Amino acid sequence: KNEVEQSPQNLTAQEGEFITINCSYSVGISALHWLQQHPGGGIVSLFMLSSGKKKHGRLIATINIQEKHSSLHITASHPRDSAVYICAVRSDSNYQLIWGAGTKLIIKP
Amino acid sequence: DGGITQSPKYLFRKEGQNVTLSCEQNLNHDAMYWYRQDPGQGLRLIYYSQIVNDFQKGDIAEGYSVSREKKESFPLTVTSAQKNPTAFYLCASSAHWYGYTFGSGTRLTVV
């Protein structure tokens, strides 16, 4: 079993829908990252979390340390949100980054 | 503002040529990392360095070399020994007690 699991693997939704992408992990962590990658594009860091909740524009990220779970929400989704969203956690034992496989999101107009 | 600069964003090279990817940070971070991503795949660790003049192999170091002569810089050379060099390469840095900062990546195409 992978140490970082993302769900769903693929998600297609209509413009305007509320989107949730989940990330579960099985190791102790010091931080969790959410990143965005557009097709053929570079990586953009969205959030770094160690507790609670963060919001930036239409994006909200939450983390529950006890349950070892994080969610990324997108409100009022737009076709430009179509991208791969990647969760990565920093292990608190060796400080290395453990990557999720990514969630491919497609927002249809 | 502090951050990581990777250059160039897109790079084309002929097969058999060595190519060096640049990664510079002004965050005063001790640790730096290189990752590789193949199409439709997750990121994998190539090399990392936790201190100047020291670096360790990651999961897929074969065909790559690095140097860490300065704290700010961690260049990655893709050698001709790397069988499938076409990929997306991501550089990152970290302070030991917290999270990571990421570059935007370099997309290398070998023709």
Side-chain angles (χ1 to χ4, degrees):
Chain A
K1 186 172 187 264
N2 292 334
E3 292 171 307
V4 178
E5 297 272 2
Q6 285 187 238
S7 63
Q9 282 187 302
N10 296 282
L11 179 57
T12 300
Q14 291 296 130
E15 183 174 356
E17 286 189 34
F18 181 81
I19 303 299
T20 296
I21 299 171
N22 297 298
C23 175
S24 295
Y25 53 93
S26 57
V27 297
I29 68 168
S30 58
L32 181 144
H33 294 271
W34 282 103
L35 305 105
Q36 178 194 58
Q37 186 176 34
H38 282 101
I43 291 271
V44 175
S45 182
L46 299 175
F47 296 104
M48 181 173 64
L49 296 161
S50 57
S51 64
K53 177 180 176 178
K54 287 189 176 181
K55 184 175 188 291
H56 186 248
R58 295 180 295 106
L59 300 177
I60 303 166
T62 64
I63 188 168
N64 185 317
I65 297 294
Q66 287 72 31
E67 294 186 3
K68 294 188 173 179
H69 181 268
S70 176
S71 293
L72 177 68
H73 304 286
I74 304 174
T75 62
S77 59
H78 190 275
R80 65 175 174 266
D81 297 325
S82 298
V84 174
Y85 292 84
I86 304 170
C87 170
V89 302
R90 185 174 193 185
S91 165
D92 65 2
S93 61
N94 63 10
Y95 302 112
Q96 293 292 343
L97 206 59
I98 307 169
W99 296 86
T103 293
K104 185 175 182 180
L105 173 66
I106 297 172
I107 304 295
K108 293 186 175 181
Chain B
D1 284 340
I4 294 182
T5 301
Q6 283 190 249
S7 59
K9 286 194 174 182
Y10 300 93
L11 187 57
F12 295 87
R13 278 295 182 269
K14 290 184 178 179
E15 193 171 350
Q17 288 182 337
N18 290 359
V19 58
T20 297
L21 309 185
S22 168
C23 179
E24 303 278 333
Q25 54 102 355
N26 60 3
L27 300 160
N28 200 35
H29 284 173
D30 287 315
M32 296 187 73
Y33 310 81
W34 276 105
Y35 298 92
R36 169 184 170 135
Q37 184 189 44
D38 291 290
Q41 305 295 317
L43 287 111
R44 294 179 290 169
L45 182 64
I46 306 172
Y47 266 101
Y48 65 101
S49 167
Q50 294 180 313
I51 197 168
V52 174
N53 292 322
D54 188 40
F55 48 83
Q56 288 78 40
K57 293 181 179 180
D59 302 319
I60 54 165
E62 185 175 350
Y64 299 97
S65 66
V66 293
S67 62
R68 187 86 187 277
E69 297 175 1
K70 299 186 300 182
K71 192 174 189 178
E72 301 79 21
S73 179
F74 191 40
L76 174 74
T77 297
V78 185
T79 74
S80 56
Q82 169 49 235
K83 293 178 183 176
N84 297 296
T86 294
F88 176 77
Y89 292 89
L90 181 69
C91 179
S93 71
S94 72
H96 288 299
W97 58 90
Y98 204 40
Y100 281 52
T101 301
F102 301 94
S104 56
T106 293
R107 202 164 288 276
L108 173 65
T109 302
V110 174
V111 297

mmCIF file of all heavy atoms in Angstrom, chain A residues 28-70:
data_model
loop_
_atom_site.group_PDB
_atom_site.id
_atom_site.type_symbol
_atom_site.label_atom_id
_atom_site.label_comp_id
_atom_site.label_asym_id
_atom_site.label_seq_id
_atom_site.Cartn_x
_atom_site.Cartn_y
_atom_site.Cartn_z
ATOM 1 N N GLY A 28 3.986 9.581 9.855
ATOM 2 C CA GLY A 28 4.020 10.841 10.577
ATOM 3 C C GLY A 28 4.608 11.920 9.693
ATOM 4 O O GLY A 28 5.552 11.664 8.953
ATOM 5 N N ILE A 29 4.018 13.102 9.761
ATOM 6 C CA ILE A 29 4.478 14.146 8.851
ATOM 7 C C ILE A 29 4.770 15.437 9.611
ATOM 8 O O ILE A 29 4.251 15.675 10.703
ATOM 9 C CB ILE A 29 3.456 14.437 7.733
ATOM 10 C CG1 ILE A 29 2.188 15.093 8.283
ATOM 11 C CG2 ILE A 29 3.113 13.148 6.983
ATOM 12 C CD1 ILE A 29 1.289 15.660 7.186
ATOM 13 N N SER A 30 5.602 16.272 8.994
ATOM 14 C CA SER A 30 5.825 17.618 9.518
ATOM 15 C C SER A 30 5.117 18.662 8.658
ATOM 16 O O SER A 30 4.895 19.780 9.110
ATOM 17 C CB SER A 30 7.318 17.936 9.585
ATOM 18 O OG SER A 30 7.907 17.815 8.308
ATOM 19 N N ALA A 31 4.771 18.298 7.428
ATOM 20 C CA ALA A 31 4.063 19.228 6.548
ATOM 21 C C ALA A 31 3.429 18.454 5.403
ATOM 22 O O ALA A 31 3.898 17.367 5.043
ATOM 23 C CB ALA A 31 4.999 20.299 5.984
ATOM 24 N N LEU A 32 2.373 19.030 4.841
ATOM 25 C CA LEU A 32 1.710 18.452 3.671
ATOM 26 C C LEU A 32 1.586 19.540 2.614
ATOM 27 O O LEU A 32 1.253 20.693 2.924
ATOM 28 C CB LEU A 32 0.328 17.923 4.054
ATOM 29 C CG LEU A 32 -0.495 17.257 2.934
ATOM 30 C CD1 LEU A 32 -1.300 16.086 3.484
ATOM 31 C CD2 LEU A 32 -1.396 18.238 2.215
ATOM 32 N N HIS A 33 1.883 19.160 1.380
ATOM 33 C CA HIS A 33 1.838 20.105 0.263
ATOM 34 C C HIS A 33 0.748 19.718 -0.715
ATOM 35 O O HIS A 33 0.534 18.532 -0.981
ATOM 36 C CB HIS A 33 3.165 20.102 -0.494
ATOM 37 C CG HIS A 33 4.327 20.610 0.277
ATOM 38 N ND1 HIS A 33 4.669 21.948 0.298
ATOM 39 C CD2 HIS A 33 5.233 19.968 1.057
ATOM 40 C CE1 HIS A 33 5.743 22.093 1.053
ATOM 41 N NE2 HIS A 33 6.106 20.921 1.532
ATOM 42 N N TRP A 34 0.096 20.725 -1.280
ATOM 43 C CA TRP A 34 -0.761 20.554 -2.452
ATOM 44 C C TRP A 34 -0.133 21.348 -3.602
ATOM 45 O O TRP A 34 0.219 22.527 -3.433
ATOM 46 C CB TRP A 34 -2.174 21.058 -2.205
ATOM 47 C CG TRP A 34 -3.031 20.124 -1.406
ATOM 48 C CD1 TRP A 34 -3.371 20.227 -0.096
ATOM 49 C CD2 TRP A 34 -3.669 18.932 -1.891
ATOM 50 N NE1 TRP A 34 -4.189 19.185 0.266
ATOM 51 C CE2 TRP A 34 -4.381 18.367 -0.825
ATOM 52 C CE3 TRP A 34 -3.718 18.283 -3.137
ATOM 53 C CZ2 TRP A 34 -5.133 17.194 -0.934
ATOM 54 C CZ3 TRP A 34 -4.458 17.127 -3.255
ATOM 55 C CH2 TRP A 34 -5.158 16.586 -2.170
ATOM 56 N N LEU A 35 -0.004 20.689 -4.757
ATOM 57 C CA LEU A 35 0.592 21.323 -5.926
ATOM 58 C C LEU A 35 -0.320 21.129 -7.127
ATOM 59 O O LEU A 35 -1.125 20.182 -7.172
ATOM 60 C CB LEU A 35 1.975 20.729 -6.211
ATOM 61 C CG LEU A 35 2.964 20.779 -5.047
ATOM 62 C CD1 LEU A 35 3.133 19.404 -4.424
ATOM 63 C CD2 LEU A 35 4.308 21.301 -5.501
ATOM 64 N N GLN A 36 -0.156 22.008 -8.107
ATOM 65 C CA GLN A 36 -0.963 21.971 -9.326
ATOM 66 C C GLN A 36 -0.033 21.892 -10.533
ATOM 67 O O GLN A 36 1.001 22.576 -10.583
ATOM 68 C CB GLN A 36 -1.813 23.238 -9.413
ATOM 69 C CG GLN A 36 -2.669 23.370 -10.654
ATOM 70 C CD GLN A 36 -3.201 24.791 -10.809
ATOM 71 O OE1 GLN A 36 -2.443 25.753 -10.878
ATOM 72 N NE2 GLN A 36 -4.517 24.923 -10.853
ATOM 73 N N GLN A 37 -0.414 21.052 -11.495
ATOM 74 C CA GLN A 37 0.369 20.941 -12.728
ATOM 75 C C GLN A 37 -0.583 20.915 -13.911
ATOM 76 O O GLN A 37 -1.345 19.966 -14.081
ATOM 77 C CB GLN A 37 1.237 19.680 -12.706
ATOM 78 C CG GLN A 37 2.178 19.588 -13.888
ATOM 79 C CD GLN A 37 3.100 18.386 -13.799
ATOM 80 O OE1 GLN A 37 2.722 17.343 -13.292
ATOM 81 N NE2 GLN A 37 4.323 18.540 -14.278
ATOM 82 N N HIS A 38 -0.507 21.967 -14.746
ATOM 83 C CA HIS A 38 -1.300 21.992 -15.968
ATOM 84 C C HIS A 38 -0.633 21.120 -17.024
ATOM 85 O O HIS A 38 0.587 20.927 -16.988
ATOM 86 C CB HIS A 38 -1.460 23.425 -16.487
ATOM 87 C CG HIS A 38 -2.479 24.212 -15.730
ATOM 88 N ND1 HIS A 38 -2.134 25.130 -14.773
ATOM 89 C CD2 HIS A 38 -3.827 24.198 -15.767
ATOM 90 C CE1 HIS A 38 -3.242 25.663 -14.260
ATOM 91 N NE2 HIS A 38 -4.272 25.117 -14.843
ATOM 92 N N PRO A 39 -1.418 20.587 -17.981
ATOM 93 C CA PRO A 39 -0.860 19.708 -19.012
ATOM 94 C C PRO A 39 0.315 20.362 -19.723
ATOM 95 O O PRO A 39 0.205 21.495 -20.228
ATOM 96 C CB PRO A 39 -2.051 19.492 -19.966
ATOM 97 C CG PRO A 39 -3.253 19.740 -19.131
ATOM 98 C CD PRO A 39 -2.873 20.795 -18.134
ATOM 99 N N GLY A 40 1.438 19.680 -19.737
ATOM 100 C CA GLY A 40 2.626 20.205 -20.400
ATOM 101 C C GLY A 40 3.266 21.374 -19.692
ATOM 102 O O GLY A 40 4.216 21.977 -20.214
ATOM 103 N N GLY A 41 2.781 21.690 -18.513
ATOM 104 C CA GLY A 41 3.272 22.866 -17.803
ATOM 105 C C GLY A 41 4.125 22.528 -16.599
ATOM 106 O O GLY A 41 4.440 21.363 -16.356
ATOM 107 N N GLY A 42 4.482 23.559 -15.875
ATOM 108 C CA GLY A 42 5.298 23.388 -14.688
ATOM 109 C C GLY A 42 4.466 23.117 -13.453
ATOM 110 O O GLY A 42 3.247 22.936 -13.512
ATOM 111 N N ILE A 43 5.156 23.068 -12.339
ATOM 112 C CA ILE A 43 4.527 22.822 -11.042
ATOM 113 C C ILE A 43 4.283 24.154 -10.337
ATOM 114 O O ILE A 43 5.164 25.018 -10.323
ATOM 115 C CB ILE A 43 5.442 21.939 -10.170
ATOM 116 C CG1 ILE A 43 5.521 20.526 -10.744
ATOM 117 C CG2 ILE A 43 4.992 21.951 -8.719
ATOM 118 C CD1 ILE A 43 4.490 19.563 -10.275
ATOM 119 N N VAL A 44 3.099 24.282 -9.745
ATOM 120 C CA VAL A 44 2.786 25.449 -8.932
ATOM 121 C C VAL A 44 2.424 24.964 -7.536
ATOM 122 O O VAL A 44 1.565 24.085 -7.384
ATOM 123 C CB VAL A 44 1.615 26.258 -9.533
ATOM 124 C CG1 VAL A 44 1.221 27.395 -8.602
ATOM 125 C CG2 VAL A 44 1.989 26.804 -10.901
ATOM 126 N N SER A 45 3.088 25.500 -6.538
ATOM 127 C CA SER A 45 2.769 25.143 -5.162
ATOM 128 C C SER A 45 1.531 25.914 -4.726
ATOM 129 O O SER A 45 1.489 27.142 -4.818
ATOM 130 C CB SER A 45 3.950 25.474 -4.251
ATOM 131 O OG SER A 45 3.666 25.101 -2.920
ATOM 132 N N LEU A 46 0.505 25.184 -4.270
ATOM 133 C CA LEU A 46 -0.745 25.819 -3.859
ATOM 134 C C LEU A 46 -0.758 26.092 -2.357
ATOM 135 O O LEU A 46 -1.078 27.194 -1.924
ATOM 136 C CB LEU A 46 -1.925 24.932 -4.230
ATOM 137 C CG LEU A 46 -2.118 24.625 -5.715
ATOM 138 C CD1 LEU A 46 -3.263 23.641 -5.908
ATOM 139 C CD2 LEU A 46 -2.363 25.901 -6.499
ATOM 140 N N PHE A 47 -0.480 25.063 -1.583
ATOM 141 C CA PHE A 47 -0.552 25.178 -0.134
ATOM 142 C C PHE A 47 0.515 24.321 0.534
ATOM 143 O O PHE A 47 0.903 23.277 0.011
ATOM 144 C CB PHE A 47 -1.921 24.683 0.400
ATOM 145 C CG PHE A 47 -3.102 25.486 -0.037
ATOM 146 C CD1 PHE A 47 -3.947 25.003 -1.025
ATOM 147 C CD2 PHE A 47 -3.393 26.700 0.552
ATOM 148 C CE1 PHE A 47 -5.049 25.721 -1.435
ATOM 149 C CE2 PHE A 47 -4.496 27.438 0.152
ATOM 150 C CZ PHE A 47 -5.323 26.949 -0.847
ATOM 151 N N MET A 48 0.949 24.776 1.685
ATOM 152 C CA MET A 48 1.707 23.957 2.620
ATOM 153 C C MET A 48 0.975 24.027 3.950
ATOM 154 O O MET A 48 0.686 25.121 4.448
ATOM 155 C CB MET A 48 3.133 24.453 2.774
ATOM 156 C CG MET A 48 3.951 23.610 3.727
ATOM 157 S SD MET A 48 5.682 24.078 3.743
ATOM 158 C CE MET A 48 5.624 25.749 4.390
ATOM 159 N N LEU A 49 0.654 22.857 4.505
ATOM 160 C CA LEU A 49 -0.153 22.785 5.721
ATOM 161 C C LEU A 49 0.536 21.938 6.765
ATOM 162 O O LEU A 49 1.143 20.915 6.430
ATOM 163 C CB LEU A 49 -1.499 22.097 5.428
ATOM 164 C CG LEU A 49 -2.491 22.749 4.478
ATOM 165 C CD1 LEU A 49 -3.488 21.714 4.001
ATOM 166 C CD2 LEU A 49 -3.217 23.870 5.180
ATOM 167 N N SER A 50 0.425 22.344 8.003
ATOM 168 C CA SER A 50 0.806 21.448 9.089
ATOM 169 C C SER A 50 -0.359 21.254 10.049
ATOM 170 O O SER A 50 -0.338 20.326 10.867
ATOM 171 C CB SER A 50 2.026 21.978 9.838
ATOM 172 O OG SER A 50 1.760 23.274 10.329
ATOM 173 N N SER A 51 -1.364 22.109 9.951
ATOM 174 C CA SER A 51 -2.570 21.956 10.763
ATOM 175 C C SER A 51 -3.657 22.852 10.204
ATOM 176 O O SER A 51 -3.370 23.819 9.471
ATOM 177 C CB SER A 51 -2.303 22.329 12.225
ATOM 178 O OG SER A 51 -1.974 23.693 12.321
ATOM 179 N N GLY A 52 -4.916 22.530 10.532
ATOM 180 C CA GLY A 52 -6.023 23.426 10.264
ATOM 181 C C GLY A 52 -6.414 23.568 8.816
ATOM 182 O O GLY A 52 -6.602 22.594 8.098
ATOM 183 N N LYS A 53 -6.551 24.809 8.392
ATOM 184 C CA LYS A 53 -7.170 25.126 7.110
ATOM 185 C C LYS A 53 -6.501 26.356 6.527
ATOM 186 O O LYS A 53 -6.115 27.262 7.250
ATOM 187 C CB LYS A 53 -8.652 25.408 7.383
ATOM 188 C CG LYS A 53 -9.498 25.838 6.226
ATOM 189 C CD LYS A 53 -10.928 26.053 6.736
ATOM 190 C CE LYS A 53 -11.856 26.577 5.673
ATOM 191 N NZ LYS A 53 -13.238 26.734 6.180
ATOM 192 N N LYS A 54 -6.373 26.364 5.192
ATOM 193 C CA LYS A 54 -5.873 27.543 4.498
ATOM 194 C C LYS A 54 -6.755 27.821 3.291
ATOM 195 O O LYS A 54 -7.297 26.894 2.684
ATOM 196 C CB LYS A 54 -4.415 27.352 4.049
ATOM 197 C CG LYS A 54 -3.404 27.413 5.179
ATOM 198 C CD LYS A 54 -1.986 27.446 4.652
ATOM 199 C CE LYS A 54 -0.995 27.603 5.797
ATOM 200 N NZ LYS A 54 0.415 27.655 5.313
ATOM 201 N N LYS A 55 -6.870 29.100 2.944
ATOM 202 C CA LYS A 55 -7.716 29.498 1.822
ATOM 203 C C LYS A 55 -6.955 30.487 0.949
ATOM 204 O O LYS A 55 -6.271 31.390 1.438
ATOM 205 C CB LYS A 55 -9.005 30.142 2.354
ATOM 206 C CG LYS A 55 -10.022 30.525 1.289
ATOM 207 C CD LYS A 55 -11.300 31.039 1.954
ATOM 208 C CE LYS A 55 -12.424 31.243 0.954
ATOM 209 N NZ LYS A 55 -12.196 32.355 0.033
ATOM 210 N N HIS A 56 -7.083 30.288 -0.354
ATOM 211 C CA HIS A 56 -6.495 31.231 -1.297
ATOM 212 C C HIS A 56 -7.416 31.330 -2.492
ATOM 213 O O HIS A 56 -7.505 30.407 -3.295
ATOM 214 C CB HIS A 56 -5.091 30.776 -1.731
ATOM 215 C CG HIS A 56 -4.395 31.781 -2.597
ATOM 216 N ND1 HIS A 56 -4.118 31.555 -3.922
ATOM 217 C CD2 HIS A 56 -3.938 33.016 -2.322
ATOM 218 C CE1 HIS A 56 -3.517 32.613 -4.432
ATOM 219 N NE2 HIS A 56 -3.383 33.510 -3.474
ATOM 220 N N GLY A 57 -8.123 32.439 -2.563
ATOM 221 C CA GLY A 57 -9.088 32.603 -3.650
ATOM 222 C C GLY A 57 -10.184 31.561 -3.558
ATOM 223 O O GLY A 57 -10.853 31.421 -2.532
ATOM 224 N N ARG A 58 -10.354 30.794 -4.631
ATOM 225 C CA ARG A 58 -11.395 29.746 -4.655
ATOM 226 C C ARG A 58 -10.899 28.401 -4.131
ATOM 227 O O ARG A 58 -11.634 27.413 -4.150
ATOM 228 C CB ARG A 58 -11.912 29.588 -6.089
ATOM 229 C CG ARG A 58 -12.629 30.821 -6.633
ATOM 230 C CD ARG A 58 -13.115 30.606 -8.063
ATOM 231 N NE ARG A 58 -12.006 30.437 -9.000
ATOM 232 C CZ ARG A 58 -11.646 29.284 -9.539
ATOM 233 N NH1 ARG A 58 -12.308 28.160 -9.236
ATOM 234 N NH2 ARG A 58 -10.635 29.220 -10.394
ATOM 235 N N LEU A 59 -9.671 28.359 -3.706
ATOM 236 C CA LEU A 59 -9.084 27.108 -3.227
ATOM 237 C C LEU A 59 -9.033 27.092 -1.709
ATOM 238 O O LEU A 59 -8.677 28.089 -1.078
ATOM 239 C CB LEU A 59 -7.655 26.946 -3.777
ATOM 240 C CG LEU A 59 -7.504 26.899 -5.289
ATOM 241 C CD1 LEU A 59 -6.032 26.811 -5.656
ATOM 242 C CD2 LEU A 59 -8.259 25.749 -5.885
ATOM 243 N N ILE A 60 -9.399 25.930 -1.141
ATOM 244 C CA ILE A 60 -9.351 25.730 0.303
ATOM 245 C C ILE A 60 -8.676 24.392 0.566
ATOM 246 O O ILE A 60 -9.015 23.388 -0.073
ATOM 247 C CB ILE A 60 -10.766 25.702 0.909
ATOM 248 C CG1 ILE A 60 -11.533 26.987 0.570
ATOM 249 C CG2 ILE A 60 -10.704 25.501 2.429
ATOM 250 C CD1 ILE A 60 -13.021 26.891 0.838
ATOM 251 N N ALA A 61 -7.739 24.376 1.487
ATOM 252 C CA ALA A 61 -7.088 23.120 1.872
ATOM 253 C C ALA A 61 -7.264 22.926 3.362
ATOM 254 O O ALA A 61 -7.117 23.865 4.143
ATOM 255 C CB ALA A 61 -5.614 23.144 1.501
ATOM 256 N N THR A 62 -7.593 21.689 3.727
ATOM 257 C CA THR A 62 -7.754 21.352 5.143
ATOM 258 C C THR A 62 -6.913 20.131 5.463
ATOM 259 O O THR A 62 -6.586 19.319 4.575
ATOM 260 C CB THR A 62 -9.221 21.044 5.475
ATOM 261 O OG1 THR A 62 -9.623 19.870 4.748
ATOM 262 C CG2 THR A 62 -10.135 22.200 5.110
ATOM 263 N N ILE A 63 -6.547 20.001 6.712
ATOM 264 C CA ILE A 63 -5.804 18.816 7.148
ATOM 265 C C ILE A 63 -6.284 18.406 8.526
ATOM 266 O O ILE A 63 -6.545 19.266 9.385
ATOM 267 C CB ILE A 63 -4.273 19.057 7.127
ATOM 268 C CG1 ILE A 63 -3.525 17.754 7.391
ATOM 269 C CG2 ILE A 63 -3.874 20.151 8.111
ATOM 270 C CD1 ILE A 63 -2.033 17.849 7.104
ATOM 271 N N ASN A 64 -6.438 17.089 8.707
ATOM 272 C CA ASN A 64 -6.777 16.512 10.004
ATOM 273 C C ASN A 64 -5.634 15.596 10.390
ATOM 274 O O ASN A 64 -5.502 14.497 9.851
ATOM 275 C CB ASN A 64 -8.102 15.747 9.919
ATOM 276 C CG ASN A 64 -8.562 15.236 11.281
ATOM 277 O OD1 ASN A 64 -7.762 14.732 12.060
ATOM 278 N ND2 ASN A 64 -9.840 15.371 11.547
ATOM 279 N N ILE A 65 -4.792 16.072 11.297
ATOM 280 C CA ILE A 65 -3.585 15.334 11.655
ATOM 281 C C ILE A 65 -3.930 14.000 12.326
ATOM 282 O O ILE A 65 -3.286 12.983 12.063
ATOM 283 C CB ILE A 65 -2.695 16.190 12.578
ATOM 284 C CG1 ILE A 65 -2.225 17.453 11.846
ATOM 285 C CG2 ILE A 65 -1.510 15.389 13.087
ATOM 286 C CD1 ILE A 65 -1.307 17.195 10.683
ATOM 287 N N GLN A 66 -4.948 13.995 13.175
ATOM 288 C CA GLN A 66 -5.319 12.762 13.886
ATOM 289 C C GLN A 66 -5.782 11.683 12.913
ATOM 290 O O GLN A 66 -5.448 10.509 13.068
ATOM 291 C CB GLN A 66 -6.423 13.048 14.911
ATOM 292 C CG GLN A 66 -5.956 13.812 16.139
ATOM 293 C CD GLN A 66 -5.651 15.263 15.839
ATOM 294 O OE1 GLN A 66 -6.268 15.870 14.963
ATOM 295 N NE2 GLN A 66 -4.699 15.831 16.551
ATOM 296 N N GLU A 67 -6.548 12.102 11.896
ATOM 297 C CA GLU A 67 -7.069 11.133 10.918
ATOM 298 C C GLU A 67 -6.105 10.929 9.755
ATOM 299 O O GLU A 67 -6.368 10.103 8.874
ATOM 300 C CB GLU A 67 -8.435 11.606 10.418
ATOM 301 C CG GLU A 67 -9.501 11.593 11.494
ATOM 302 C CD GLU A 67 -10.876 11.917 10.942
ATOM 303 O OE1 GLU A 67 -11.011 12.098 9.712
ATOM 304 O OE2 GLU A 67 -11.820 12.001 11.745
ATOM 305 N N LYS A 68 -5.027 11.676 9.691
ATOM 306 C CA LYS A 68 -4.035 11.578 8.614
ATOM 307 C C LYS A 68 -4.714 11.752 7.253
ATOM 308 O O LYS A 68 -4.587 10.905 6.354
ATOM 309 C CB LYS A 68 -3.270 10.260 8.701
ATOM 310 C CG LYS A 68 -2.417 10.175 9.955
ATOM 311 C CD LYS A 68 -1.491 8.971 9.970
ATOM 312 C CE LYS A 68 -0.567 9.069 11.184
ATOM 313 N NZ LYS A 68 0.354 7.938 11.284
ATOM 314 N N HIS A 69 -5.391 12.851 7.132
ATOM 315 C CA HIS A 69 -6.184 13.092 5.938
ATOM 316 C C HIS A 69 -6.203 14.588 5.625
ATOM 317 O O HIS A 69 -6.280 15.428 6.523
ATOM 318 C CB HIS A 69 -7.617 12.593 6.148
ATOM 319 C CG HIS A 69 -8.486 12.780 4.956
ATOM 320 N ND1 HIS A 69 -9.258 13.903 4.769
ATOM 321 C CD2 HIS A 69 -8.697 11.989 3.874
ATOM 322 C CE1 HIS A 69 -9.919 13.783 3.620
ATOM 323 N NE2 HIS A 69 -9.600 12.644 3.067
ATOM 324 N N SER A 70 -6.127 14.899 4.330
ATOM 325 C CA SER A 70 -6.222 16.274 3.861
ATOM 326 C C SER A 70 -7.161 16.328 2.673
ATOM 327 O O SER A 70 -7.288 15.360 1.919
ATOM 328 C CB SER A 70 -4.846 16.805 3.457
ATOM 329 O OG SER A 70 -4.937 18.100 2.906
#
